[in-house]
Structure formats: C-alpha cells, structure tokens
Amino acid sequence: MKKLLLPTLASILIGACTSSTEEMLKENPIAETATQASSCPVEEPYKSDLINTTWRPVFLKDQENAPMPNGKEDGFVYIRFNDKLEVNGMSGDNLFGGSVIISKNGSFRALNLFSTRRMGKFSVYEYKFMQALHKANRIYISSSAKTMKLMNGDTTLLEFVKTEHIKDK
C-alpha cells in the first residue's frame, strides 16, 4: 500500500500548480493535502493584484438581517493576502486564516481555513461570511484592482474593496 501511495502523492505534488487544480481535487481525495504544500498556489494575473493587500467586504450574499461590525468601535471585517499569499483577517467576532489556490483562469479555492472561537453579536454574519469563502470557486478583480468578487459560478457571494491595512481589534 505504501509503495502505491508514494508515487501517487509525488505525481499530485508535481501537478499541483496546473490550471486543472479543481479537477485534480475532485478526482483525488488526498490531493488537497498535497496541494497545500505547493509552492505556487496563486498564479498571475492575480498574484500581482493580491500580494500584501487588504480587502473590506461591501456585499455578502444572503446577509439579510445579519449585522456586520461597523468599522469603528465594533472593529472591521476584512481579508488580507500576505507576501506569501496566505489569507488572514477578521470575519466578525473572530480572526481567521488559511491558504488559497487561484489559477490563471480565475478558479478559486480556500483551503484549511481556521478561526478563533470567540462568541459575540456578529456570529450570524461571521457564519455566512465563512461559508461564502468556502463556497467560492471563482475570483474576479476589476481592471483598476480596487474591487474583488468571490463567486460561485456566475453568482457573486462576496464583494470587496481594497483598503489600507487594518489593525486587528
């Protein structure tokens, strides 16, 4: 069994940065673990637009009556892409982090998202925000690189505007 698993894992690691990442993840259940170790999870043209940027949400699909922090005394909701293009941010009451895979065709996948577990008045918004990150399979960045949409197919789940670096509350 080990002899079969090692060549399979090696072939997954070699192909992890291809534009067929989505198909690979569907076909092979251990591919997600291998892809996390990949050294090139975000491809151009997105890499240049995202590195060391912070984005504030302006739209969340199905937000309805779920209040969001006001950006003042309640803090901010945001997502930040660091110099390694890992993500972190604030989703309501909690900090979160993880990694993403973005291919040159605009496919998007959030991996290994984790969150602190503080209780608070923004838990419904936070749940919907994190679910949208998990469900997103496409990314769109405007030509001015000032707005970003995370989508599932043609449906916008989250829309963001680029903002200055936000300090965690």
Side-chain angles (χ1 to χ4, degrees):
M1 183 68 173
K2 286 183 182 179
K3 289 181 182 181
L4 179 62
L5 185 58
L6 288 176
T8 303
L9 185 58
S11 68
I12 292 168
L13 285 170
I14 292 167
C17 291
T18 67
S19 61
S20 61
T21 302
E22 288 291 317
E23 291 79 19
M24 181 181 62
L25 291 171
K26 288 177 189 172
E27 293 172 9
N28 194 326
I30 64 171
E32 185 168 333
T33 303
T35 304
Q36 296 161 11
S38 168
S39 63
C40 50
V42 180
E43 295 185 43
E44 290 297 356
Y46 302 97
K47 189 173 186 173
S48 300
D49 288 335
L50 293 174
I51 197 164
N52 292 320
T53 60
T54 303
W55 303 79
R56 181 177 50 84
V58 292
F59 171 79
L60 170 61
K61 183 176 177 12
D62 298 328
Q63 179 180 348
E64 298 162 351
N65 294 325
M68 170 181 158
N70 62 19
K72 295 177 181 140
E73 67 274 356
D74 289 336
F76 290 90
V77 174
Y78 65 91
I79 186 169
R80 179 180 303 127
F81 295 84
N82 68 18
D83 59 342
K84 296 177 185 172
L85 290 161
E86 299 160 324
V87 295
N88 64 63
M90 177 66 85
S91 55
D93 298 304
N94 290 284
L95 298 168
F96 72 93
S99 57
V100 294
I101 296 173
I102 303 172
S103 68
K104 60 186 167 191
N105 68 2
S107 67
F108 175 92
R109 180 156 166 129
L111 300 171
N112 292 334
L113 291 179
F114 60 88
S115 177
T116 56
R117 295 184 182 233
R118 295 183 267 191
M119 296 296 293
K121 60 185 175 181
F122 304 109
S123 61
V124 174
Y125 177 89
E126 182 169 57
Y127 175 78
K128 291 179 179 193
F129 179 87
M130 295 301 287
Q131 287 299 307
L133 285 177
H134 280 287
K135 291 178 183 176
N137 62 13
R138 288 186 48 220
I139 186 171
Y140 167 80
I141 298 177
S142 67
S143 59
S144 67
K146 294 186 181 193
T147 61
M148 172 178 67
K149 292 181 182 182
L150 295 180
M151 307 166 74
N152 185 293
D154 293 331
T155 303
T156 300
L157 303 176
L158 282 160
E159 186 171 348
F160 298 85
V161 294
K162 189 184 285 187
T163 188
E164 296 296 317
H165 178 75
I166 298 170
K167 295 191 189 279
D168 301 330
K169 71 174 186 177

